[in-house]
Amino acid sequence: MVRAAILSIGLLFLVGDATAGSDRRWIHVTVDGEDGERVRVNVPLSLIETVLPLIEDDDFRHGKIRLDDTDLDRDEVLAMLRAVDQAEDGEYVTVDDGDEHVRVAKQGKMLTVKVEDLSEGGKEHVDIQVPVAVLHALVSGDEDELDVVAAIEALGKHSDGDLVTVNDDDGTVVRIWIDDANASN
Amino acid sequence: MKRTRTIWVILFGIPALLILPLAVLGSRVYTSGTIDVEVMERNGCEFGLHVPATLVTAALHFIPECTIDGVRVEMDPEARQALRIAAAVAEELEGCPDGILVDVQDATEIVTIEKKDGKIHVFVDSPDETVRCSVPIRTVRRAVERIAAI
């Protein structure tokens, strides 16, 4: 009986250790240039969450961006986000002006923005995927503030996946994604 | 009997009293690690520095307060903020698993920053020189905290 109890407690600690490791989320940035340039950055989200509140500037304090001098209306942004959250999946904005194709859509819990360069010889292609929950967290602060720390925390709770992919005209590929691994592939 | 005990004390007790503090100090130096800097220039010049991290943190305690006419001078707020951020980064990195944090390569230069075995390892390879530098993260944190407290 005692032995079984000790074994159970030991197993609990092991499981606890295993899950503790998986709580750390990482954001990865890779840039691969056509001429062999290569950049790899791997940062734990917890580091960003810890550091951002320590940065103090005129427009950035305690992890929040002040919007006093911008044209961005927080109420309009909130209303737009609420509408996006409640709406069904689908394309919201499609722009085709001959040189560029822009598509803004909602797929599941993600807001996706795709920009494609259609000009002759144009190769630029941008894919952005942002969880709607992250956008909500961004505007969850006081009026005229964007809560970046809350957005980062919301990002950490999101499942693994690409956030930004950019294929530039000169062959440069930029990719930003989040997962549990401490290294980029 | 009493003489035998006295001889035992002299033969083993006194050396033990001398060796024990040295052993503790050596153990502390070993566990704290070393700060290593190696520079190899293409013209053949080489420079190497290996300093026990304990020495650096101990030396920081001898930094005097900055005063003018007996009045303590406060550190610039931006500098203090930078130190707070550096301390937070160091503390967070201490708990991170090992891995490459930054890896930049282009046609002529390689820069790598890696966390491994409790140290930050910086490697720079350029046309002019190769630099390797490794610092225990705990030392960085203690140094920054000590400087911020001055």
Side-chain angles (χ1 to χ4, degrees), chain A residues 58-146:
Chain A
D58 291 337
D59 296 321
F60 190 87
R61 281 180 181 273
H62 307 300
K64 296 174 185 174
I65 300 173
R66 293 189 63 81
L67 302 172
D68 286 341
D69 299 326
T70 68
D71 294 331
L72 199 63
D73 188 319
R74 182 174 172 272
D75 290 337
E76 286 177 356
V77 173
L78 269 178
M80 189 172 64
L81 284 176
R82 210 171 291 123
V84 167
D85 201 22
Q86 292 167 358
E88 292 181 0
D89 290 359
E91 281 189 10
Y92 294 137
V93 175
T94 307
V95 176
D96 265 314
D97 63 359
D99 290 332
E100 209 169 55
H101 173 80
V102 179
R103 176 179 178 264
V104 179
K106 182 187 171 194
Q107 292 172 327
K109 295 287 185 184
M110 304 287 285
L111 189 70
T112 64
V113 178
K114 291 183 191 296
V115 179
E116 201 173 336
D117 184 3
L118 300 175
S119 62
E120 192 174 334
K123 300 178 200 173
E124 193 171 275
H125 190 100
V126 178
D127 271 311
I128 299 173
Q129 299 180 77
V130 182
V132 176
V134 171
L135 297 174
H136 269 292
L138 197 60
V139 294
S140 62
D142 295 336
E143 282 188 20
D144 301 327
E145 280 185 345
L146 293 178

Side-chain angles (χ1 to χ4, degrees), chain B residues 44-117:
Chain B
C45 286
E46 290 187 17
F47 168 79
L49 181 71
H50 305 277
V51 179
T54 305
L55 202 63
V56 171
T57 48
L60 287 171
H61 287 282
F62 292 99
I63 298 177
E65 281 187 353
C66 187
T67 58
I68 296 177
D69 294 333
V71 179
R72 190 165 177 266
V73 177
E74 290 295 325
M75 192 182 293
D76 180 67
E78 282 188 10
R80 192 170 290 282
Q81 180 185 231
L83 286 172
R84 275 203 305 268
I85 291 170
V89 169
E91 189 173 343
E92 195 62 38
L93 284 177
E94 269 189 279
C96 278
D98 288 355
I100 293 175
L101 301 172
V102 176
D103 178 17
V104 179
Q105 297 181 24
D106 65 15
T108 57
E109 206 168 66
I110 297 173
V111 177
T112 305
I113 302 174
E114 179 182 8
K115 188 219 163 181
K116 188 177 176 187
D117 300 328

